[in-house]
Amino acid sequence: MTDELPAGPSGGSPGGLPELRASDADREQVAEVLRDALAEGRLDMAEFEERLDATYKARTYGELEPITRDLPAAGVVAPAPAVSMVKRPASAVGTGDWASRIVGGEGTSRWGVAVMSGFERKGHWTVPRRFNCFAFWGGGVVDLREANFADGEVVVNCVALMGGLNVVVPPGVEVVVRGIGIMGGFDHGQEGVPGERGAPRVVVTGFAFWGGVGVERKVSKAERLRLREERKRLRRSPRP
């Protein structure tokens, strides 16, 4: 069962008690909103660092509430409450939340083409069941780290002719590579890594001729910032 502090009659601090002491979990919840805002371009790095510093220095709900007052929740355009004080089980944190990222539908983009140029598909988008990309004397990036998925298995078909294509997947995703290189390279280095329970499967197919197709596994910018700030928070914590 979760415990929720009731909102005050003015919609301000929980229970109308701005001096109620905030916990580490409350501060981390605000920090997560700030990291999402940075990743979406709502805050620049200077604003992010200033607000994050204020977050970890905050001691009460009254000090935390203004920090995210002008920011929406991640992925929405309508303003959201600045701080929700719902206490969620710790086991819900860090699971990848894969079920919410397999959304069905047709996908928001089906093609990526680079002819003596370049393309990028990254950020918040929905990967269709089959995404085709082509590079000729150019390069392209298909970044799935912050993407949703139309199905539990998606295919990224890559054709590189004297060009390069790079597929970036988040940790936890299973990768299967079925492409070949002819006087070129097709990266099979990420195969054989078990996927997390409920995570999608990404199949990379196609061929490279006098070119290359790379597959790499990286954490997202927001997750990288979260890990960095977690290390900072641990260093700030008083030692016994």
Short mmCIF file of all heavy atoms in Angstrom, two decimals, residues 149-191:
data_model
loop_
_atom_site.label_atom_id
_atom_site.label_comp_id
_atom_site.label_asym_id
_atom_site.label_seq_id
_atom_site.Cartn_x
_atom_site.Cartn_y
_atom_site.Cartn_z
N PHE A 149 8.34 1.41 -28.56
CA PHE A 149 8.40 0.35 -29.56
C PHE A 149 6.99 -0.07 -29.94
O PHE A 149 6.13 -0.27 -29.07
CB PHE A 149 9.18 -0.85 -29.02
CG PHE A 149 10.61 -0.53 -28.67
CD1 PHE A 149 10.93 0.04 -27.44
CD2 PHE A 149 11.62 -0.78 -29.57
CE1 PHE A 149 12.24 0.36 -27.12
CE2 PHE A 149 12.95 -0.47 -29.26
CZ PHE A 149 13.25 0.10 -28.03
N ALA A 150 6.76 -0.22 -31.26
CA ALA A 150 5.44 -0.63 -31.73
C ALA A 150 5.15 -2.08 -31.41
O ALA A 150 3.98 -2.49 -31.38
CB ALA A 150 5.33 -0.38 -33.24
N ASP A 151 6.18 -2.89 -31.15
CA ASP A 151 5.98 -4.31 -30.88
C ASP A 151 7.12 -4.80 -30.00
O ASP A 151 8.13 -4.11 -29.82
CB ASP A 151 5.94 -5.09 -32.19
CG ASP A 151 5.23 -6.44 -32.06
OD1 ASP A 151 4.88 -6.81 -30.91
OD2 ASP A 151 5.02 -7.12 -33.07
N GLY A 152 6.95 -6.01 -29.47
CA GLY A 152 7.99 -6.60 -28.64
C GLY A 152 9.22 -6.99 -29.43
O GLY A 152 10.28 -7.23 -28.85
N GLU A 153 9.11 -7.09 -30.77
CA GLU A 153 10.26 -7.33 -31.64
C GLU A 153 10.19 -6.36 -32.81
O GLU A 153 9.16 -6.27 -33.49
CB GLU A 153 10.29 -8.77 -32.16
CG GLU A 153 11.46 -9.02 -33.12
CD GLU A 153 11.60 -10.49 -33.52
OE1 GLU A 153 11.76 -11.33 -32.61
OE2 GLU A 153 11.53 -10.78 -34.73
N VAL A 154 11.25 -5.61 -33.03
CA VAL A 154 11.31 -4.66 -34.14
C VAL A 154 12.53 -4.99 -34.99
O VAL A 154 13.53 -5.54 -34.49
CB VAL A 154 11.36 -3.20 -33.65
CG1 VAL A 154 10.10 -2.86 -32.87
CG2 VAL A 154 12.60 -2.93 -32.82
N VAL A 155 12.46 -4.66 -36.27
CA VAL A 155 13.54 -4.90 -37.21
C VAL A 155 14.07 -3.56 -37.70
O VAL A 155 13.29 -2.70 -38.13
CB VAL A 155 13.06 -5.75 -38.41
CG1 VAL A 155 14.18 -5.91 -39.44
CG2 VAL A 155 12.57 -7.12 -37.93
N VAL A 156 15.38 -3.39 -37.62
CA VAL A 156 16.03 -2.21 -38.20
C VAL A 156 16.86 -2.71 -39.38
O VAL A 156 17.88 -3.39 -39.20
CB VAL A 156 16.92 -1.49 -37.16
CG1 VAL A 156 17.58 -0.27 -37.80
CG2 VAL A 156 16.10 -1.08 -35.95
N ASN A 157 16.41 -2.40 -40.59
CA ASN A 157 17.05 -2.86 -41.81
C ASN A 157 18.00 -1.78 -42.31
O ASN A 157 17.58 -0.67 -42.63
CB ASN A 157 16.00 -3.19 -42.87
CG ASN A 157 16.63 -3.77 -44.12
OD1 ASN A 157 17.39 -4.73 -44.07
ND2 ASN A 157 16.34 -3.16 -45.27
N CYS A 158 19.29 -2.09 -42.38
CA CYS A 158 20.32 -1.10 -42.70
C CYS A 158 21.03 -1.47 -44.00
O CYS A 158 21.52 -2.59 -44.15
CB CYS A 158 21.37 -1.03 -41.60
SG CYS A 158 20.72 -0.61 -39.96
N VAL A 159 21.09 -0.51 -44.94
CA VAL A 159 21.84 -0.68 -46.18
C VAL A 159 22.82 0.49 -46.27
O VAL A 159 22.42 1.64 -46.35
CB VAL A 159 20.91 -0.70 -47.40
CG1 VAL A 159 21.74 -0.79 -48.68
CG2 VAL A 159 19.93 -1.85 -47.31
N ALA A 160 24.11 0.16 -46.24
CA ALA A 160 25.16 1.19 -46.27
C ALA A 160 26.05 0.95 -47.48
O ALA A 160 26.73 -0.07 -47.57
CB ALA A 160 25.98 1.13 -44.98
N LEU A 161 26.04 1.88 -48.45
CA LEU A 161 26.87 1.83 -49.65
C LEU A 161 27.87 2.98 -49.58
O LEU A 161 27.49 4.15 -49.73
CB LEU A 161 26.02 1.94 -50.92
CG LEU A 161 24.87 0.93 -51.07
CD1 LEU A 161 24.09 1.20 -52.35
CD2 LEU A 161 25.40 -0.49 -51.05
N MET A 162 29.11 2.65 -49.32
CA MET A 162 30.14 3.68 -49.16
C MET A 162 29.69 4.73 -48.14
O MET A 162 29.91 5.93 -48.32
CB MET A 162 30.47 4.33 -50.52
CG MET A 162 31.14 3.37 -51.49
SD MET A 162 31.51 4.11 -53.09
CE MET A 162 29.86 4.15 -53.81
N GLY A 163 29.02 4.26 -47.12
CA GLY A 163 28.53 5.13 -46.06
C GLY A 163 28.50 4.38 -44.75
O GLY A 163 28.92 3.23 -44.66
N GLY A 164 27.96 5.01 -43.72
CA GLY A 164 27.92 4.38 -42.41
C GLY A 164 26.60 4.59 -41.71
O GLY A 164 25.99 5.65 -41.81
N LEU A 165 26.16 3.56 -40.99
CA LEU A 165 24.94 3.62 -40.19
C LEU A 165 25.27 3.09 -38.80
O LEU A 165 26.05 2.14 -38.65
CB LEU A 165 23.82 2.79 -40.82
CG LEU A 165 23.30 3.28 -42.17
CD1 LEU A 165 22.44 2.21 -42.85
CD2 LEU A 165 22.48 4.55 -42.00
N ASN A 166 24.65 3.71 -37.79
CA ASN A 166 24.91 3.30 -36.41
C ASN A 166 23.59 3.12 -35.68
O ASN A 166 22.75 4.03 -35.68
CB ASN A 166 25.76 4.35 -35.69
CG ASN A 166 26.41 3.80 -34.44
OD1 ASN A 166 26.82 2.65 -34.40
ND2 ASN A 166 26.50 4.61 -33.41
N VAL A 167 23.39 1.97 -35.07
CA VAL A 167 22.19 1.66 -34.29
C VAL A 167 22.59 1.66 -32.82
O VAL A 167 23.49 0.91 -32.42
CB VAL A 167 21.58 0.31 -34.69
CG1 VAL A 167 20.31 0.02 -33.88
CG2 VAL A 167 21.27 0.27 -36.18
N VAL A 168 21.92 2.50 -32.01
CA VAL A 168 22.23 2.62 -30.59
C VAL A 168 21.05 2.10 -29.79
O VAL A 168 19.92 2.56 -29.96
CB VAL A 168 22.52 4.09 -30.20
CG1 VAL A 168 22.97 4.16 -28.75
CG2 VAL A 168 23.55 4.71 -31.13
N VAL A 169 21.29 1.12 -28.93
CA VAL A 169 20.23 0.52 -28.12
C VAL A 169 20.53 0.75 -26.64
O VAL A 169 21.68 0.89 -26.25
CB VAL A 169 20.09 -1.00 -28.40
CG1 VAL A 169 19.79 -1.26 -29.87
CG2 VAL A 169 21.34 -1.74 -27.97
N PRO A 170 19.49 0.77 -25.80
CA PRO A 170 19.72 0.94 -24.36
C PRO A 170 20.10 -0.39 -23.71
O PRO A 170 19.83 -1.47 -24.25
CB PRO A 170 18.36 1.42 -23.86
CG PRO A 170 17.38 0.80 -24.80
CD PRO A 170 18.05 0.78 -26.14
N PRO A 171 20.73 -0.35 -22.54
CA PRO A 171 20.98 -1.58 -21.80
C PRO A 171 19.66 -2.30 -21.51
O PRO A 171 18.63 -1.67 -21.31
CB PRO A 171 21.64 -1.09 -20.51
CG PRO A 171 22.20 0.25 -20.84
CD PRO A 171 21.27 0.84 -21.86
N GLY A 172 19.71 -3.63 -21.51
CA GLY A 172 18.52 -4.41 -21.20
C GLY A 172 17.80 -4.94 -22.41
O GLY A 172 16.97 -5.85 -22.30
N VAL A 173 18.09 -4.39 -23.60
CA VAL A 173 17.44 -4.83 -24.83
C VAL A 173 18.24 -5.97 -25.46
O VAL A 173 19.47 -5.91 -25.53
CB VAL A 173 17.32 -3.64 -25.82
CG1 VAL A 173 16.91 -4.12 -27.19
CG2 VAL A 173 16.33 -2.62 -25.29
N GLU A 174 17.55 -7.00 -25.92
CA GLU A 174 18.22 -8.08 -26.64
C GLU A 174 18.46 -7.66 -28.08
O GLU A 174 17.59 -7.07 -28.73
CB GLU A 174 17.36 -9.35 -26.62
CG GLU A 174 18.01 -10.52 -27.35
CD GLU A 174 17.09 -11.73 -27.47
OE1 GLU A 174 15.94 -11.66 -26.99
OE2 GLU A 174 17.52 -12.75 -28.06
N VAL A 175 19.64 -7.95 -28.60
CA VAL A 175 20.01 -7.58 -29.97
C VAL A 175 20.36 -8.83 -30.75
O VAL A 175 21.14 -9.67 -30.29
CB VAL A 175 21.20 -6.60 -29.98
CG1 VAL A 175 21.63 -6.29 -31.41
CG2 VAL A 175 20.85 -5.30 -29.26
N VAL A 176 19.78 -8.94 -31.96
CA VAL A 176 20.12 -10.02 -32.90
C VAL A 176 20.57 -9.35 -34.20
O VAL A 176 19.86 -8.49 -34.73
CB VAL A 176 18.92 -10.94 -33.16
CG1 VAL A 176 19.26 -11.98 -34.21
CG2 VAL A 176 18.45 -11.60 -31.87
N VAL A 177 21.75 -9.73 -34.71
CA VAL A 177 22.29 -9.12 -35.93
C VAL A 177 22.32 -10.17 -37.03
O VAL A 177 22.91 -11.24 -36.87
CB VAL A 177 23.71 -8.56 -35.68
CG1 VAL A 177 24.26 -7.94 -36.95
CG2 VAL A 177 23.68 -7.53 -34.55
N ARG A 178 21.67 -9.84 -38.14
CA ARG A 178 21.60 -10.77 -39.28
C ARG A 178 22.15 -10.14 -40.56
O ARG A 178 21.90 -10.63 -41.65
CB ARG A 178 20.15 -11.20 -39.50
CG ARG A 178 19.57 -12.01 -38.33
CD ARG A 178 18.11 -12.30 -38.52
NE ARG A 178 17.57 -13.07 -37.38
CZ ARG A 178 16.28 -13.18 -37.09
NH1 ARG A 178 15.38 -12.55 -37.84
NH2 ARG A 178 15.89 -13.89 -36.05
N GLY A 179 22.86 -9.05 -40.46
CA GLY A 179 23.40 -8.38 -41.63
C GLY A 179 24.76 -8.92 -42.01
O GLY A 179 25.42 -9.62 -41.23
N ILE A 180 25.22 -8.57 -43.21
CA ILE A 180 26.52 -9.01 -43.71
C ILE A 180 27.26 -7.81 -44.28
O ILE A 180 26.65 -6.82 -44.70
CB ILE A 180 26.38 -10.11 -44.78
CG1 ILE A 180 25.56 -9.60 -45.97
CG2 ILE A 180 25.75 -11.36 -44.20
CD1 ILE A 180 25.56 -10.57 -47.14
N GLY A 181 28.58 -7.90 -44.29
CA GLY A 181 29.41 -6.88 -44.88
C GLY A 181 30.19 -7.43 -46.06
O GLY A 181 30.77 -8.51 -45.98
N ILE A 182 30.19 -6.69 -47.19
CA ILE A 182 30.93 -7.06 -48.39
C ILE A 182 31.94 -5.94 -48.64
O ILE A 182 31.56 -4.81 -48.98
CB ILE A 182 30.00 -7.23 -49.60
CG1 ILE A 182 28.94 -8.31 -49.30
CG2 ILE A 182 30.79 -7.59 -50.86
CD1 ILE A 182 27.87 -8.43 -50.37
N MET A 183 33.20 -6.22 -48.43
CA MET A 183 34.23 -5.18 -48.45
C MET A 183 33.82 -4.04 -47.50
O MET A 183 34.04 -2.87 -47.78
CB MET A 183 34.47 -4.67 -49.88
CG MET A 183 35.16 -5.69 -50.77
SD MET A 183 35.59 -5.05 -52.40
CE MET A 183 33.97 -4.95 -53.14
N GLY A 184 33.16 -4.45 -46.44
CA GLY A 184 32.71 -3.50 -45.43
C GLY A 184 32.52 -4.23 -44.12
O GLY A 184 32.90 -5.40 -43.97
N GLY A 185 31.91 -3.60 -43.16
CA GLY A 185 31.74 -4.21 -41.85
C GLY A 185 30.33 -4.15 -41.34
O GLY A 185 29.60 -3.18 -41.57
N PHE A 186 29.92 -5.22 -40.66
CA PHE A 186 28.61 -5.29 -40.00
C PHE A 186 28.87 -5.78 -38.59
O PHE A 186 29.32 -6.89 -38.38
CB PHE A 186 27.68 -6.24 -40.74
CG PHE A 186 26.25 -5.78 -40.76
CD1 PHE A 186 25.69 -5.23 -41.89
CD2 PHE A 186 25.44 -5.88 -39.63
CE1 PHE A 186 24.38 -4.80 -41.93
CE2 PHE A 186 24.14 -5.45 -39.65
CZ PHE A 186 23.60 -4.91 -40.81
N ASP A 187 28.58 -4.92 -37.60
CA ASP A 187 28.98 -5.17 -36.22
C ASP A 187 28.07 -6.20 -35.55
O ASP A 187 26.86 -6.00 -35.44
CB ASP A 187 28.92 -3.85 -35.45
CG ASP A 187 29.47 -3.96 -34.03
OD1 ASP A 187 29.91 -5.06 -33.65
OD2 ASP A 187 29.46 -2.94 -33.32
N HIS A 188 28.67 -7.31 -35.08
CA HIS A 188 27.93 -8.35 -34.36
C HIS A 188 28.30 -8.36 -32.87
O HIS A 188 27.95 -9.30 -32.15
CB HIS A 188 28.23 -9.73 -34.96
CG HIS A 188 27.64 -9.94 -36.31
ND1 HIS A 188 26.56 -10.76 -36.54
CD2 HIS A 188 27.97 -9.41 -37.52
CE1 HIS A 188 26.25 -10.75 -37.83
NE2 HIS A 188 27.09 -9.94 -38.45
N GLY A 189 28.97 -7.33 -32.40
CA GLY A 189 29.53 -7.36 -31.05
C GLY A 189 28.50 -7.37 -29.93
O GLY A 189 28.82 -7.78 -28.82
N GLN A 190 27.26 -6.90 -30.18
CA GLN A 190 26.27 -6.82 -29.11
C GLN A 190 25.35 -8.04 -29.05
O GLN A 190 24.44 -8.09 -28.24
CB GLN A 190 25.42 -5.56 -29.28
CG GLN A 190 26.19 -4.27 -29.07
CD GLN A 190 26.84 -4.21 -27.71
OE1 GLN A 190 26.26 -4.65 -26.71
NE2 GLN A 190 28.04 -3.67 -27.64
N GLU A 191 25.59 -9.02 -29.91
CA GLU A 191 24.79 -10.24 -29.84
C GLU A 191 25.18 -11.07 -28.62
O GLU A 191 26.29 -10.99 -28.10
CB GLU A 191 25.00 -11.08 -31.11
CG GLU A 191 24.28 -10.57 -32.32
CD GLU A 191 24.27 -11.60 -33.43
OE1 GLU A 191 25.36 -11.93 -33.93
OE2 GLU A 191 23.18 -12.07 -33.80
#
